[in-house]
Amino acid sequence: YIRFLKDFLESAEQNYFVGFHVHYYIFTDEPEQVPAVELGEDHHLTVIKVPSSNRWQEISLSRMRRLEELIESQLVNEADYVFSLDVDTKFYGRWGVETLGRLVGALHPWFYRSPHEQFTYERRPESQAFIPYSEGDYYFIGAVIGGLVKDVYQLAKTCREQLEIDASKSIEAVWQEESHLNKYFLYNKPSKLLSPEYLWDDKKSKPEEIKIVRFSQILKNYAEIRPNP
């Protein structure tokens, strides 16, 4: 996924909290491959080396733990807000203070029009991420998580604990940490919902109600970039 980083950072520098203090933290197993990108005034970048994995699901499952540890070790004393964003994405429009809130989630572009019975929640009662068909309001995408540092920390810590309980029972939720995120948001409502314009998908045509795509997952060949199906 390191191949996506240059476009991510360059497009962020044009659109993401321009004029504000921004610190990017890049988690990668290939720190030597991080491209040189010219950053704006008061913008900084830190690269954090993480282990490789032969399963993309393991990388996804580790998101909450890494976010929790980053907040504990650094952000608690140096940041007001934090966003966890996928790197296989690109900014196409302004992303600013309108996205800030106590706890922020983004509606999934493939499910925002669907009834909750069709959401791909974790449906096995054995999992800590279990949501029955009779419950649910929105389906949130795991590629955008944000809010006040202390509130995101509580989210990440809770989801990490629930993930560990599942792992102890040899259970992996259907969409890894995204399933646990949706369970958390079901009972801990986010204070702000971002429309799908803040996380679109380049595979999906833009409907009339989406006036601008600000941030989108880019087209890619998963068979080429992932270590396993």
Side-chain angles (χ1 to χ4, degrees):
Y1 277 57
I2 199 77
R3 70 182 68 182
F4 305 122
L5 184 55
K6 190 172 191 293
D7 276 353
F8 175 92
L9 288 172
E10 288 183 343
S11 64
E13 282 298 289
Q14 295 298 313
N15 296 286
Y16 183 72
F17 288 106
V18 175
F20 290 82
H21 173 79
V22 174
H23 198 141
Y24 304 102
Y25 291 87
I26 308 299
F27 295 91
T28 178
D29 61 339
E30 298 183 325
E32 67 282 355
Q33 298 298 321
V34 172
V37 173
E38 184 176 352
L39 301 180
E41 183 180 357
D42 213 16
H43 284 204
H44 308 276
L45 186 147
T46 296
V47 178
I48 300 174
K49 183 174 173 56
V50 296
S52 299
S53 175
N54 57 10
R55 292 184 70 240
W56 68 263
Q57 293 91 342
E58 293 291 341
I59 300 169
S60 184
L61 287 163
S62 69
R63 177 197 301 266
M64 295 301 184
R65 175 171 54 82
R66 299 198 194 288
L67 184 55
E68 178 188 9
E69 291 172 351
L70 176 64
I71 292 172
E72 283 181 340
S73 63
Q74 297 190 65
L75 301 191
V76 68
N77 294 318
E78 63 182 49
D80 299 309
Y81 294 91
V82 59
F83 278 93
S84 170
L85 305 173
D86 279 5
V87 75
D88 55 337
T89 47
K90 185 175 179 179
F91 291 88
Y92 297 97
R94 177 184 177 277
W95 178 310
V97 295
E98 77 282 357
T99 64
L100 297 180
R102 177 185 56 80
L103 195 57
V104 181
L107 300 181
H108 199 294
W110 291 96
F111 292 107
Y112 75 98
R113 285 174 155 183
S114 304
H116 69 82
E117 296 87 354
Q118 295 178 12
F119 293 165
T120 54
Y121 290 148
E122 173 56 59
R123 301 300 189 180
R124 293 170 295 172
E126 300 81 15
S127 172
Q128 296 296 306
F130 168 64
I131 298 175
Y133 284 96
S134 59
E135 296 186 32
D137 40 24
Y138 303 106
Y139 190 89
F140 296 92
I141 193 163
V144 175
I145 306 168
L148 289 169
V149 166
K150 65 181 182 65
D151 290 277
V152 176
Y153 176 75
Q154 189 58 50
L155 179 155
K157 182 174 184 290
T158 301
C159 289
R160 187 265 305 163
E161 291 171 347
Q162 301 303 307
L163 284 157
E164 289 181 352
I165 293 172
D166 271 12
S168 71
K169 300 176 181 178
S170 299
I171 298 173
E172 185 176 290
V174 60
W175 290 112
Q176 295 81 42
E177 90 290 353
E178 185 175 271
S179 298
H180 289 269
L181 172 71
N182 274 276
K183 178 64 174 286
Y184 186 88
F185 276 160
L186 180 60
Y187 298 109
N188 303 272
K189 302 299 186 188
S191 61
K192 178 161 291 187
L193 305 181
L194 299 183
S195 87
E197 71 189 80
Y198 286 93
L199 201 289
W200 197 245
D201 190 323
D202 284 358
K203 294 193 300 292
K204 189 174 173 62
S205 60
K206 185 165 70 72
E208 184 178 351
E209 69 268 17
I210 302 296
K211 302 304 181 184
I212 180 173
V213 171
R214 300 178 186 275
F215 189 50
S216 185
Q217 295 178 317
I218 63 175
L219 293 171
K220 48 200 161 296
N221 180 357
Y222 284 114
E224 179 193 1
I225 62 174
R226 286 180 171 176
N228 66 292

